[in-house]
């Protein structure tokens, strides 16, 4: 149909015959294909291709992973037996640090007075530690040490102005009591904790100090902490670090904190002690330790190239020939992360950082000429490879991937020793750290398998320097905030808080995103839980390998974590 302006207008009704004929042609073509193509032959061809893919790629890959995991499991077993034997010998023969190194109490001298005590700097880095900032400041100010021979340095990177003013007021409170305390801030958070520690070393008064004692905001040293640790440094010029043991004030708060205590007690009682006794090396835990300032300078100072600045410094100092001492009899109170969200962030940092550091320092360790061959083997093999990479890989790949997938392959046989005997011995070796929690060993295994998912992802992120490699999220501390009623602030203190809000912050405070109902779920855990459940049902119904009970129980553990029912429940968790 032609319009007045000469253009053709196609009426919809005129299109119907054309559309109808097209549909008819398509139907005729489909009928011809159906008659000419033998769909049974096509399905057989597809199944044949899938079978080839299964036989020549999937099964060999799974068998390779099995062999790799079994080999690494044996490596882990030998490592656990070795450090366990060393720790046992230390206890049987009472090979204490005082016997291996010279240690004498500081003797008071009336003529010399307080000058017999070396000058010590106590550093307390903190960041928005509203619930616990008073704990470490009060404990540091209460140390038994001459007031003119100690400087307490609070390095406050807080972005919350109210918290910043509270910390400064606490410092002023102790300063009015005669404590030599310094409140230091900076206008950025470059380098996070490492940057704060590095900046803190630049102040003039630090030059008069010989040693630095470091405590995170939730750590509470006993009054005699310096009296028991500093003499090791005074009488042994080759010692760079004295590390004490952590004790946890909230270990009984919930099941998750009990399970964390089991892992950390083994780390301190066995791993740290064995490294200190055999090689005079272990990873600095970042807090509750005393450093020789000369050793820090000799190692190159603090660096922010990884999220484990403490381990970085320890490795570099050890490669310079410095020795470390672990003193297990000196305990420092601290707090465990009690929410699952905070624990996941902490484990990401603790797993990603060491893997990234291993990558960056591998060749430096290999080519180092100042330490012995066996110390380098211990550092590369035991400390980094087994402790920071292999353990995470085996725990997740073997127990949450290889074993579940094996139910779909009848020809794949896992040796009994690799699925029962060796894992049992490893578990028993690691459970000696906390005998009082031995009845929780099975639950602890399930919990470690759940966390291995994030530890492995974090380790791979560190090795390949992927997206979250430099992510630093400060571990949330609750203190007693979730247990106690709100505190009524005195009116004079309230006035100061109001005035503080008129000050422009050094760093803009990030606004928290409102969390919805589904934000509390952890979808990676839920996905693994579904996968393990399906494998368990398949084993129970078809393959009959006997793994279904383990798969069902482990899937429940992933579901519990996925739905956020681990740890203390708070409005933000």
């Amino acid at each position: 149909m032609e319009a007045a302006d000469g253009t053709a207008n196609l009426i919809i009704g005129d299109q119907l015959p054309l559309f109808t004929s097209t549909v008819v042609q398509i139907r005729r073509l489909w009928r011809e294909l159906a008659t000419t193509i033998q769909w049974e032959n096509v399905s057989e061809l597809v199944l044949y291709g899938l079978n080839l893919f299964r036989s020549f790629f999937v099964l060999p890959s799974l068998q390779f992973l099995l062999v790799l995991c079994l080999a690494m499991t044996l490596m882990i077993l030998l490592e656990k037996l070795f450090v366990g034997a060393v720790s046992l010998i230390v206890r049987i023969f009472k090979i204490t640090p005082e016997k291996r190194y010279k240690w004498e109490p500081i003797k008071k001298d009336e003529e010399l007075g307080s000058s017999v005590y070396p000058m010590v700097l106590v550093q307390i880095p903190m960041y928005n530690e509203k619930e616990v900032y008073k704990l470490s400041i009060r404990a540091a100010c209460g140390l038994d040490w001459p007031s003119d021979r100690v400087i307490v340095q609070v390095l406050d990177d807080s972005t919350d102005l109210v918290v910043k003013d509270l910390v400064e007021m606490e410092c002023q409170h102790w300063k009015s009591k005669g404590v030599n305390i310094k409140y230091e801030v900076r206008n950025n958070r470059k380098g996070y904790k490492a940057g704060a520690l590095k900046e803190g070393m630049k102040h003039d008064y630090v030059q008069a100090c010989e040693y630095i004692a470091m405590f995170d905001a939730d750590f509470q040293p006993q009054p005699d902490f310096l009296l028991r640790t500093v003499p090791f440094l005074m009488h042994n010029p080759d010692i760079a670090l004295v590390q004490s043991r952590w004790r946890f004030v909230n270990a009984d708060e919930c099941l998750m904190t009990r399970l964390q205590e089991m892992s950390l007690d083994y780390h301190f009682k066995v791993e740290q002690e064995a490294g200190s006794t055999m090689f005079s090396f272990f990873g600095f835990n970042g807090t509750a330790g005393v450093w020789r300032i000369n050793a820090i300078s000799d190692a190159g100072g603090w660096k922010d190239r990884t999220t484990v600045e403490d381990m970085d410094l320890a490795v570099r100092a050890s490669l310079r020939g410095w020795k470390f001492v672990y003193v297990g009899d000196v305990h420092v109170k601290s707090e465990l992360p009690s929410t699952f969200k905070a624990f996941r962030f902490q484990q990401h940092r603790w797993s990603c950082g060491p893997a990234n550091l291993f990558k960056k320092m591998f060749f430096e360790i290999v080519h180092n000429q100042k330490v012995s061959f066996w110390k380098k083997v211990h550092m590369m093999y035991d400390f980094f490879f087994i402790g920071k990479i292999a353990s995470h890989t085996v725990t997740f790949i073997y127990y949450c991937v290889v074993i579940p997938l094996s139910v779909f392959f009848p020809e794949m046989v896992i040796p009994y020793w690799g699925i029962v005997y060796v894992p049992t011995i490893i578990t028993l070796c690691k459970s000696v750290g906390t005998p009082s929690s031995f009845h929780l060993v099975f639950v602890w295994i399930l919990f470690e398998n759940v966390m291995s998912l994030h530890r492995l992802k974090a380790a791979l992120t560190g090795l390949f320097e992927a997206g979250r490699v430099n992510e630093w999220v400060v571990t949330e501390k609750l203190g007693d905030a979730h247990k106690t009623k709100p505190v009524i602030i005195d009116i004079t203190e309230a006035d100061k808080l109001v005035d503080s809000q008129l000050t422009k912050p050094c760093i803009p405070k990030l606004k928290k995103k409102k969390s919805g109902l589904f934000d509390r779920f952890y979808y990676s855990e839920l996905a693994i839980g579904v996968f393990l459940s399906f494998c368990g049902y398949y084993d129970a119904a078809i393959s009959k390998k006997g793994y279904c009970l383990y798969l069902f129980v482990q899937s429940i553990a992933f579901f519990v974590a996925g739905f956020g029912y681990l740890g203390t429940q708070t409005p933000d968790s």
Side-chain angles (χ1 to χ4, degrees):
M1 180 178 178
E2 189 172 347
D5 57 358
T7 58
N9 295 330
L10 185 63
I11 301 176
I12 295 178
D14 296 340
Q15 301 181 49
L16 292 177
L18 178 61
F19 176 77
T20 304
S21 63
T22 303
V23 172
V24 171
Q25 291 176 6
I26 292 174
R27 289 177 177 175
R28 185 184 301 114
L29 179 63
W30 181 254
R31 285 197 299 269
E32 291 175 358
L33 286 173
T35 55
T36 57
I37 297 178
Q38 300 295 327
W39 291 107
E40 292 182 359
N41 295 336
V42 172
S43 62
E44 290 179 2
L45 185 63
V46 171
L47 290 175
Y48 178 73
L50 291 175
N51 190 45
L52 286 178
F53 180 72
R54 174 188 182 277
S55 301
F56 290 98
F57 179 76
V58 179
L59 182 59
S61 299
L62 201 58
Q63 289 175 331
F64 171 76
L65 285 177
L66 174 60
V67 173
L68 184 64
C69 289
L70 289 176
M72 287 195 290
T73 301
L74 290 176
M75 293 178 187
I76 294 172
L77 172 65
L78 294 176
E79 191 266 341
K80 299 306 175 192
L81 291 175
F82 172 73
V83 297
V86 172
S87 180
L88 183 62
I89 291 173
V90 168
R91 280 168 171 71
I92 291 176
F93 295 99
K94 297 182 179 179
I95 309 175
T96 61
E98 290 80 4
K99 290 184 177 180
R100 291 187 292 114
Y101 297 98
K102 184 179 179 181
W103 186 95
E104 294 179 0
I106 301 176
K107 298 178 181 179
K108 296 181 179 180
D109 191 310
E110 293 184 359
E111 294 183 1
L112 298 177
S114 62
S115 61
V116 297
Y117 292 83
M119 198 72 181
V120 178
L121 177 70
V122 180
Q123 282 186 326
I124 310 174
M126 58 178 60
Y127 172 73
N128 293 340
E129 307 286 2
K130 182 180 179 181
E131 312 302 341
V132 295
Y133 71 94
K134 285 187 177 182
L135 299 178
S136 56
I137 295 177
R138 181 172 61 239
C141 294
L143 290 170
D144 287 339
W145 205 258
S147 59
D148 61 329
R149 306 299 292 172
V150 63
I151 302 173
V152 178
Q153 184 187 62
V154 178
L155 304 171
D156 189 11
D157 271 2
S158 298
T159 54
D160 188 315
L161 290 177
V162 173
V163 175
K164 186 181 286 287
D165 272 7
L166 287 173
V167 175
E168 185 176 9
M169 289 164 56
E170 184 70 12
C171 293
Q172 292 296 332
H173 167 73
W174 286 102
K175 190 172 185 178
S176 66
K177 290 189 173 184
V179 176
N180 189 2
I181 185 169
K182 307 291 185 180
Y183 176 73
E184 306 291 355
V185 296
R186 54 186 184 142
N187 59 3
N188 62 76
R189 286 196 70 213
K190 182 181 178 182
Y192 302 106
K193 182 179 176 181
L197 294 172
K198 185 176 181 179
E199 193 70 22
M201 297 282 288
K202 295 180 180 179
H203 297 281
D204 293 336
Y205 55 81
V206 178
Q207 305 305 317
C209 300
E210 297 180 57
Y211 312 116
I212 297 181
M214 299 176 184
F215 303 101
D216 283 348
D218 59 311
F219 277 72
Q220 308 167 58
Q222 295 297 318
D224 63 348
F225 177 85
L226 294 178
L227 295 173
R228 299 181 64 183
T229 55
V230 170
F232 283 104
L233 298 166
M234 294 174 60
H235 301 298
N236 302 275
D238 57 343
I239 292 180
L241 167 67
V242 180
Q243 173 72 60
S244 64
R245 181 183 169 188
W246 299 0
R247 293 307 296 263
F248 311 105
V249 297
N250 65 332
D252 295 328
E253 183 172 339
C254 60
L255 179 61
M256 193 182 78
T257 53
R258 287 286 297 274
L259 301 179
Q260 290 180 66
E261 181 189 35
M262 294 175 68
S263 298
L264 290 172
D265 278 352
Y266 171 79
H267 169 68
F268 281 103
K269 283 186 177 181
V270 181
E271 293 177 332
Q272 295 281 75
E273 192 166 63
S276 175
T277 303
M278 292 296 297
F279 304 100
S280 299
F281 168 75
F282 47 83
F284 175 45
N285 298 116
T287 179
V290 186
W291 275 91
R292 185 186 301 273
I293 292 182
N294 287 342
I296 296 177
S297 302
D298 183 55
W302 293 102
K303 294 185 178 180
D304 57 3
R305 56 181 177 173
T306 70
T307 56
V308 283
E309 74 294 326
D310 43 11
M311 186 182 295
D312 186 358
L313 177 62
V315 173
R316 286 185 281 113
S318 180
L319 293 178
R320 297 288 296 175
W322 292 98
K323 295 181 179 180
F324 302 162
V325 178
Y326 168 69
V327 186
D329 291 337
V330 180
H331 299 170
V332 178
K333 297 178 181 179
S334 64
E335 179 182 330
L336 291 164
S338 57
T339 65
F340 188 50
K341 181 179 179 181
F343 184 62
R344 286 170 91 244
F345 279 125
Q346 182 200 67
Q347 293 303 297
H348 173 84
R349 190 172 74 249
W350 285 8
S351 302
C352 177
N356 187 235
L357 180 63
F358 181 47
K359 176 183 178 180
K360 292 180 175 179
M361 297 206 65
F362 179 83
F363 291 106
E364 185 176 344
I365 297 173
V366 171
H367 297 301
N368 183 271
Q369 301 295 327
K370 287 196 172 183
V371 299
S372 67
F373 170 77
W374 291 112
K375 190 170 184 177
K376 289 195 287 186
V377 170
H378 166 70
M379 191 179 296
M380 295 174 61
Y381 179 75
D382 290 344
F383 182 73
F384 276 116
F385 179 71
I386 297 297
K388 314 303 179 185
I389 297 175
S391 58
H392 305 329
T393 303
V394 167
T395 306
F396 182 72
I397 299 296
Y398 186 38
Y399 298 106
C400 300
V401 176
V402 173
I403 292 177
L405 285 178
S406 68
V407 303
F408 300 105
F409 299 89
E411 61 271 47
M412 186 174 174
V413 179
I414 302 177
Y416 199 70
W417 60 265
I419 203 170
V420 176
Y421 295 140
V422 172
T424 300
I425 296 174
I426 293 174
T427 302
L428 292 177
C429 288
K430 296 187 69 174
S431 65
V432 299
T434 316
S436 60
S437 298
F438 185 77
H439 60 288
L440 297 174
V441 163
F442 185 68
V443 180
W444 174 71
I445 294 172
L446 299 176
F447 177 70
E448 287 293 294
N449 290 347
V450 171
M451 294 310 303
S452 68
L453 167 64
H454 300 286
R455 290 169 181 156
L456 178 58
K457 287 195 300 183
L460 293 176
T461 299
L463 283 175
F464 296 104
E465 297 192 337
R468 295 175 59 195
V469 63
N470 292 318
E471 180 185 63
W472 180 287
V473 179
V474 177
T475 304
E476 179 187 22
K477 292 101 177 177
L478 298 182
D480 293 329
H482 64 293
K483 303 174 185 177
T484 58
K485 296 180 180 179
V487 179
I488 300 176
I489 303 176
D490 183 77
I491 187 65
T492 57
E493 186 173 283
D495 291 339
K496 294 181 181 179
L497 297 183
V498 171
D499 293 339
S500 70
Q501 297 180 17
L502 300 178
T503 306
K504 185 178 179 180
C506 297
I507 307 166
K509 184 180 177 182
L510 298 177
K511 294 182 179 180
K512 290 185 178 180
K513 180 182 177 182
K514 292 184 178 180
S515 58
L517 175 63
F518 295 100
D519 291 337
R520 67 166 293 173
F521 299 149
Y522 302 97
Y523 295 102
S524 55
E525 282 89 346
L526 294 176
I528 299 298
V530 171
F531 165 70
L532 294 177
S533 297
F534 178 74
C535 295
Y537 282 118
Y538 188 89
D539 182 53
I542 299 176
S543 62
K544 309 290 185 182
K545 286 194 173 184
Y547 302 153
C548 58
L549 180 60
Y550 158 72
L551 294 173
F552 285 141
V553 175
Q554 186 64 70
S555 67
I556 292 174
F558 273 97
F559 282 130
V560 170
F563 285 113
Y565 289 111
L566 270 179
T568 302
Q569 300 300 312
T570 64
D572 293 331
S573 66

